[in-house]
């Protein structure tokens, strides 16, 4: 069983354009926990948001593409939406169904407003599905390989800040051989001291290694 992770940059979503659910960026999208298309052409989904949720809810309710909004009382930032499905989600989800692809939920918004998607399935069908993504939907490949169910479990061990710093270290090439970045380089990007980011990375490595062993 294989997986492929890719990012659709600058996602154009009528409900959370570029991951922002308010024109003044009072609310941003963190993730799409689940989406399902209904027979009438509309969709329902669970969106994870952060920021001024009250203002964000008002903005969503005023959006003509959104048919109903309900905030979860049990989970902070979780919003249920019933909406008119846009072309992007319709195309993507129809491709997943056609090629028997499983989505590794949630889909995550990036800091740049893109949407990170992980698909799971047979290698041949994954490759066929990728070729069917419309040309106007540009994707950036982040990873491909054998799928292990504990991949997200390892990530869940880390705090949001630790995940952020680990992603920075990976993107900057700190873990490549030879290294493309030093602790000082990472510290400059994160606006903290080299000693502090080194301590963070040691704690991250300890958590992950102990879990693997």
């Amino acid at each position: 069983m294989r997986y492929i992770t890719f990012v659709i940059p600058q996602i154009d979503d009528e409900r959370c354009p570029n991951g922002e659910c308010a024109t003044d960026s009072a609310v941003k999208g963190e993730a799409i926990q689940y989406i399902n298309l209904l027979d009438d052409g509309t969709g329902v989904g669970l969106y994870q948001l952060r920021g001024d949720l009250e203002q964000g809810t008002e903005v969503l309710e005023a959006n003509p593409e959104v048919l109903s909004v309900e905030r979860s009382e049990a989970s902070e930032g979780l919003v249920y939406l019933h909406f008119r499905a846009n072309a992007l989600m319709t195309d993507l989800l129809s491709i997943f169904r056609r090629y028997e692809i499983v989505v590794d939920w949630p889909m995550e918004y990036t800091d740049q407003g893109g949407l990170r998607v992980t698909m799971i399935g047979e290698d041949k069908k994954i490759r066929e599905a990728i070729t069917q993504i419309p040309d106007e939907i540009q994707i950036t490949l982040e990873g491909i390989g054998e799928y292990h169910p504990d991949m997200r479990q390892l990530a869940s061990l880390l705090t949001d800040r630790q995940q952020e710093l680990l992603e920075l270290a990976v993107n900057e090439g700190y873990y490549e051989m030879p290294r493309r970045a030093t602790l000082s380089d990472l510290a400059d990007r994160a606006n903290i001291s080299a000693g502090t980011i080194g301590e963070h990375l040691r704690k991250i490595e300890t958590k992950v290694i102990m879990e693997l062993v």
Side-chain angles (χ1 to χ4, degrees):
M1 183 167 48
R2 304 279 285 178
Y3 82 93
I4 183 170
T5 298
F6 57 90
V7 171
I8 306 171
Q10 293 298 315
I11 187 75
D12 184 16
D13 189 327
E14 291 91 341
R15 293 160 300 285
C16 292
N18 297 330
E20 297 177 4
C21 294
T23 55
D24 61 356
S25 303
V27 175
K28 290 183 177 292
E30 281 196 339
I32 302 175
Q33 296 291 347
Y34 188 72
I35 276 186
N36 189 32
L37 298 182
L38 307 181
D39 292 339
D40 61 1
T42 64
V44 291
L46 291 174
Y47 280 68
Q48 189 71 44
L49 311 178
R50 57 185 166 87
D52 188 339
L53 298 178
E54 184 173 348
Q55 181 179 347
T57 300
E58 293 175 357
V59 172
L60 288 168
E61 289 174 337
N63 191 323
E65 300 300 324
V66 176
L67 303 176
S68 65
V69 182
E70 183 176 345
R71 284 165 54 185
S72 170
E73 298 294 335
S75 179
E76 178 71 18
L78 192 63
V79 177
Y80 169 87
L81 298 181
H82 181 201
F83 54 86
R84 295 184 177 89
N86 64 9
L88 172 61
M89 280 300 171
T90 300
D91 289 345
L92 278 179
L93 295 180
S94 64
I95 290 172
F96 297 155
R97 286 196 301 267
R98 193 182 319 142
Y99 290 95
E100 301 172 2
I101 297 296
V102 175
V103 178
D104 189 17
W105 300 99
M107 297 180 180
E108 299 170 337
Y109 284 102
T110 68
D111 292 338
Q112 294 73 36
L115 191 64
R116 180 176 291 108
V117 181
T118 296
M119 306 190 313
I120 307 167
E122 296 178 9
D123 185 66
K124 179 182 178 181
K125 291 186 176 181
I126 285 179
R127 295 181 185 276
E128 291 175 346
I130 288 295
T131 64
Q132 296 303 308
I133 295 178
D135 293 338
E136 60 269 23
I137 301 178
Q138 300 297 315
I139 65 172
T140 300
L141 181 64
E142 282 198 343
I144 185 170
E146 191 69 20
Y147 177 74
H148 300 283
D150 57 356
M151 290 167 60
R152 286 193 186 272
Q153 180 180 343
L154 287 175
S156 69
L157 296 173
L158 308 179
T159 66
D160 290 344
R161 180 58 169 165
Q162 287 175 331
Q163 291 187 39
E164 178 185 335
L165 294 176
L166 178 59
E167 184 175 345
L168 172 65
V170 171
N171 290 341
E172 294 297 313
Y174 178 76
Y175 287 106
E176 293 185 13
M177 298 293 289
R179 283 180 172 163
R180 293 192 293 106
T182 66
L183 285 176
S184 294
D185 296 328
L186 300 181
D188 289 341
R189 291 291 305 276
N191 198 29
I192 56 179
S193 71
T196 299
I197 197 167
E199 182 179 355
H200 277 296
L201 291 180
R202 283 192 294 274
K203 288 180 179 178
I204 291 168
E205 292 159 1
T206 298
K207 284 185 178 180
V208 172
I209 290 172
M210 292 297 291
E211 181 67 18
L212 288 173
V213 174

